[in-house]
Amino acid sequence: ELAHLGILGMGFGIIISSMTTKYRDLSILVGFGVQLWMYATPIIYPISQLGNGLLKTILLINPVTAPVEIFRYAVLGQGTIVPAYLLLSWVITVLVAVFGVMIFNHVEKTFMDTMKLFMATTLLLYGRFHGWTRGAGLLQNQVSTGILF
């Protein structure tokens, strides 16, 4: 199950890193999303406390719930392991990993151009903030005309 969580984390990590190269503010949203996902994963509370309602079904669809319940069973000797939801968790994990690789392959073509523009703009703004005048005009000219890239 460590491999399961590793593949899931890798998939989401690739998706998020690919998207944040273009949308830099996405990192703020990711922090908020991780906090929400933490509450939607039964780590502190066992899933058996929820009864048989809609909330339990929603939590079992979470791809992290099945590995957490398996770890709980391995460590504490008690936990709810539902094979159908474990299989669903693996399917979601594989889909996230494949989708992440597909997005990365698509973004990879423009990744370096985005990073070069970001670095040049950052250097230009940093230089202006610190009062650099020598070479700043040349750098700005190269950025605006596209020579730098």
Side-chain angles (χ1 to χ4, degrees), residues 83-106:
Y85 288 110
L86 180 61
L87 179 64
L88 178 66
S89 178
W90 269 103
V91 168
I92 292 171
T93 298
V94 170
L95 288 175
V96 165
V98 168
F99 185 66
V101 170
M102 288 172 49
I103 286 179
F104 179 78
N105 285 335
H106 180 72

Side-chain angles (χ1 to χ4, degrees), residues 125-140:
L125 292 174
Y126 182 80
R128 284 190 179 168
F129 179 75
H130 288 289
W132 296 350
T133 55
R134 190 170 177 192
L138 177 64
L139 180 62
Q140 185 176 12

Side-chain angles (χ1 to χ4, degrees), residues 1-60:
E1 287 306 308
L2 283 177
H4 182 175
L5 290 175
I7 293 169
L8 184 66
M10 179 195 68
F12 276 118
I14 289 173
I15 291 170
I16 292 166
S17 65
S18 297
M19 299 300 284
T20 54
T21 58
K22 189 170 184 178
Y23 308 106
R24 291 188 192 93
D25 291 339
L26 185 66
S27 60
I28 297 167
L29 183 64
V30 168
F32 180 68
V34 167
Q35 288 177 352
L36 286 179
W37 198 0
M38 178 72 178
Y39 285 111
T41 305
I43 295 175
I44 303 297
Y45 55 93
I47 201 111
S48 59
Q49 285 185 342
L50 298 176
N52 289 328
L54 179 65
L55 183 61
K56 182 176 181 177
T57 304
I58 291 171
L59 289 180
L60 284 172

